[in-house]
Amino acid sequence: MIHMVKLCVGVASVEELESYRDQRAHWWGADYGEDVHVHRTRMMPKRREEMEGVSSIYWVMSGAILCRQRILRLGSHTDAEGKDYCDIIMAPDIVRTLPYPKRPFQGWRYLRPEDAPPDMEGNDNENSVELAAELARMGLI
């Protein structure tokens, strides 16, 4: 199993990502007819078989990994100009993680399970999130 980490470009918080969740698939005409969240990216992962149904995409916002979504499957899409894309079809549930600092990068990267930040495990109130973010900035978690 291998996870994916990706910048959530133009989204500054988990709450903002949650607000886009229901409309995002329709931005690209990627309507899979079910309750899913879809993100379209340029490249299909070569390790696709290790990801579908078992891994998560970890979202980087404001310089830190803040949450994840379970990857259900990866779909192929070809646009009208013949360019190939990868549709990341995710469960709509967004799980907060302990904030983990991450520098900006292009595209997406693989993330080994042992390097993934742990889930907040129910401690998702605003004070817990802010405290965890501050501890992460200080290098303590």
Side-chain angles (χ1 to χ4, degrees):
M1 173 176 59
I2 193 82
H3 297 298
M4 176 185 284
V5 62
K6 184 158 182 22
L7 293 178
C8 202
V9 178
V11 176
S13 68
V14 176
E15 293 79 16
E16 190 175 348
L17 177 63
E18 289 172 335
S19 75
Y20 291 134
R21 175 177 37 206
D22 297 329
Q23 38 182 300
R24 203 163 173 105
H26 307 291
W27 291 354
W28 301 292
D31 190 353
Y32 286 87
E34 51 192 285
D35 187 21
V36 294
H37 183 174
V38 179
H39 179 77
R40 182 164 288 161
T41 190
R42 186 72 174 98
M43 303 301 292
M44 177 68 74
K46 292 184 181 4
R47 298 174 72 176
R48 175 182 189 168
E49 292 79 28
E50 294 178 63
M51 300 173 81
E52 292 182 307
V54 294
S55 65
S56 292
I57 183 168
Y58 285 77
W59 292 110
V60 177
M61 299 169 218
S62 303
I65 296 173
L66 297 180
C67 63
R68 68 178 180 86
Q69 286 179 274
R70 194 167 49 88
I71 297 173
L72 301 174
R73 63 187 181 281
L74 301 169
S76 297
H77 174 79
T78 304
D79 71 8
E81 297 173 3
K83 288 184 184 174
D84 291 327
Y85 293 89
C86 171
D87 282 352
I88 304 167
I89 304 157
M90 301 165 283
D93 302 322
I94 296 172
V95 179
R96 288 180 183 268
T97 64
L98 285 175
Y100 185 81
K102 189 76 174 163
R103 293 179 186 255
F105 56 91
Q106 288 262 291
W108 54 263
R109 300 286 185 265
Y110 291 118
L111 179 66
R112 297 180 315 179
E114 60 268 22
D115 296 332
D119 294 348
M120 287 289 285
E121 298 181 24
N123 296 324
D124 60 337
N125 71 52
E126 193 172 321
N127 291 335
S128 296
V129 172
E130 288 175 11
L131 177 60
E134 185 60 30
L135 291 171
R137 276 191 288 277
M138 295 168 62
L140 299 174
I141 60 171

